[in-house]
């Protein structure tokens, strides 16, 4: 499933397609939304951003279209005159000044006043989005130190979207590696210096994945891995999916474990615990 960086990149593409343009036509498959379609015609798309794994398409009248791709949903961008070549079920189509964005195979779509988004049943449970909400290292440290989070093991905590929205399975492994932290450690056990290192890794790894289309590995490590003949996918990561291969930093074999019912990869020497 896509994680925060992939969803934010999808939001960027949708923003580029529609933002600053007035809607010429709007179509919804869901009956509860179909009655609202005509009221959006003529409205300008002011922005598209993301919160966790949700996309938020914002209109100039203060309404927001919430959509969640879930496992199979996908937005396709196209000219209004050219229908996408797909057998997927169309759920939403927005057309603005000759450009269209069509959402297929997703069922979690709703229209909200912007000032009531905090009442949304999913968004109301999310922590701040690492790529949308201008989160700082100090804010990450403060959240990790909150009593509801501080006593939990990092392996499960980092997947909890109530802590910070957007971290999924590959980011979890990569963040813990670059922070030198074990999945069984707890924020309250790290001390201020290591807690700051973890907060910085959370932001840096997530932002790198966003800027580099999912790549989290250091450039020099990736180049060395390519010279060894490793696949392009394996070169993308520092530890994720690299079980049995040598750690880029110390050479120890990367191990694969199951933590919080999900696979996790770590270096036993760089991340003792």
């Amino acid at each position: 499933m896509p994680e925060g960086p992939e969803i934010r990149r999808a939001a960027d593409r949708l923003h580029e397609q529609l933002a600053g343009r007035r809607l010429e036509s709007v179509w919804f498959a869901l009956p509860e939304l179909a009655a609202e379609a005509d009221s959006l015609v003529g409205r300008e798309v002011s922005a598209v951003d993301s919160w966790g794994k949700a996309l938020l398409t914002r209109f100039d009248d203060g309404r927001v279209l919430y959509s969640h791709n879930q496992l199979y949903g996908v937005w396709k961008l196209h000219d209004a005159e050219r229908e996408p070549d797909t057998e997927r079920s169309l759920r939403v189509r927005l057309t603005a000044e000759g450009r269209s964005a069509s959402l297929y195979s997703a069922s979690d779509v709703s229209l909200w006043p912007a000032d009531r988004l905090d009442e949304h049943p999913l968004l109301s449970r999310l922590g701040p989005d690492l790529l949308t909400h201008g989160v700082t290292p100090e804010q990450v440290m403060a959240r990790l130190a909150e009593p509801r989070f501080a006593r939990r093991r990092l392996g499960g905590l980092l997947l909890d979207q109530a802590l910070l929205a957007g971290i999924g399975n590959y980011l979890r492994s990569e963040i813990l590696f670059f922070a030198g932290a074990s999945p069984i450690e707890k924020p309250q056990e790290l001390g201020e210096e290591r807690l700051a290192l973890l907060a910085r890794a959370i932001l840096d790894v997530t932002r790198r994945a966003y800027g580099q289309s999912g790549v989290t590995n250091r450039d020099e490590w990736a180049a060395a891995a390519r010279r060894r003949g490793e696949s392009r996918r394996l070169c993308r990561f520092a530890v994720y999916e690299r079980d049995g291969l040598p750690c880029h930093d110390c050479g120890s074999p990367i191990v694969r474990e199951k933590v919080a019912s999900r696979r996790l990869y770590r270096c036993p020497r760089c991340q003792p615990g």
Side-chain angles (χ1 to χ4, degrees):
M1 179 180 287
E3 301 181 21
E6 290 72 41
I7 298 301
R8 182 56 203 240
R9 289 175 70 88
D12 290 347
R13 293 190 292 271
L14 195 56
H15 180 92
E16 179 67 22
Q17 182 81 342
L18 297 177
R21 296 177 171 85
R22 295 199 175 273
L23 292 166
E24 299 167 336
S25 67
V26 178
W27 184 86
F28 296 119
L30 299 175
E32 59 269 29
L33 285 179
E36 302 288 337
D38 287 346
S39 70
L40 286 171
V41 174
R43 305 264 43 118
E44 182 178 302
V45 178
S46 55
V48 183
D49 55 48
S50 61
W51 192 348
K53 297 180 181 180
L55 282 171
L56 303 175
T57 304
R58 301 177 183 272
F59 307 107
D60 65 355
D61 65 351
R63 286 182 288 176
V64 181
L65 181 68
Y66 165 97
S67 63
H68 195 299
N69 288 1
Q70 300 166 306
L71 282 175
Y72 304 110
V74 61
W75 281 96
K76 290 184 176 291
L77 311 181
H78 55 99
D79 292 336
E81 300 81 13
R82 183 175 299 176
E83 194 81 12
D85 183 15
T86 180
E87 296 182 358
R88 292 171 175 263
S89 299
L90 181 63
R91 303 299 187 188
V92 176
R93 176 162 292 165
L94 306 175
T95 299
E97 300 178 18
R99 300 184 177 194
S100 291
S102 299
L103 176 61
Y104 293 89
S105 304
S107 57
D108 191 2
V109 184
S110 52
L111 197 61
W112 289 77
D115 59 3
R116 291 184 55 199
L117 278 177
D118 58 358
E119 301 173 21
H120 187 280
L122 173 64
L123 298 181
S124 62
R125 302 197 302 268
L126 297 182
D129 186 280
L130 289 164
L131 296 170
T132 298
H133 295 147
V135 180
T136 66
E138 292 75 21
Q139 289 171 328
V140 175
M141 285 185 67
R143 290 192 72 78
L144 289 166
E146 289 183 23
R148 57 177 170 153
F149 301 131
R151 292 184 287 271
R152 294 175 56 188
R153 295 181 184 231
L154 292 172
L157 176 61
L158 289 183
L159 294 181
D160 186 346
Q161 301 299 292
L163 172 69
L164 296 160
I167 299 176
N169 210 37
Y170 84 84
L171 286 177
R172 173 181 68 161
S173 290
E174 297 292 287
I175 287 167
L176 288 174
F177 172 76
F178 282 109
S182 164
I184 67 172
E185 292 185 286
K186 303 173 183 179
Q188 67 178 11
E189 299 170 344
L190 297 181
E192 187 163 347
E193 185 175 335
R194 293 189 66 212
L195 193 66
L197 179 62
L198 174 61
R200 187 73 261 173
I202 286 171
L203 285 172
D204 287 350
V205 172
T206 302
R207 289 169 178 168
R208 180 168 177 80
Y210 166 63
Q212 301 294 327
S213 301
V215 175
T216 54
N217 204 4
R218 292 178 179 170
D219 292 341
E220 63 272 23
W221 289 352
R226 285 193 295 271
R227 289 193 295 270
R228 292 194 298 268
E230 294 184 14
S231 70
R232 181 177 179 183
R233 178 168 179 81
L234 288 176
C235 293
R236 296 168 64 87
F237 303 115
V239 291
Y240 187 72
E241 294 187 335
R242 292 182 53 81
D243 47 313
L245 293 174
C247 172
H248 293 295
D249 194 30
C250 74
S252 298
I254 301 300
V255 298
R256 170 177 168 166
E257 304 169 338
K258 182 163 281 191
V259 178
S261 301
R262 304 284 297 279
R263 57 196 171 112
L264 180 143
Y265 302 82
R266 71 180 179 93
C267 172
R269 180 177 295 178
C270 297
Q271 302 166 261

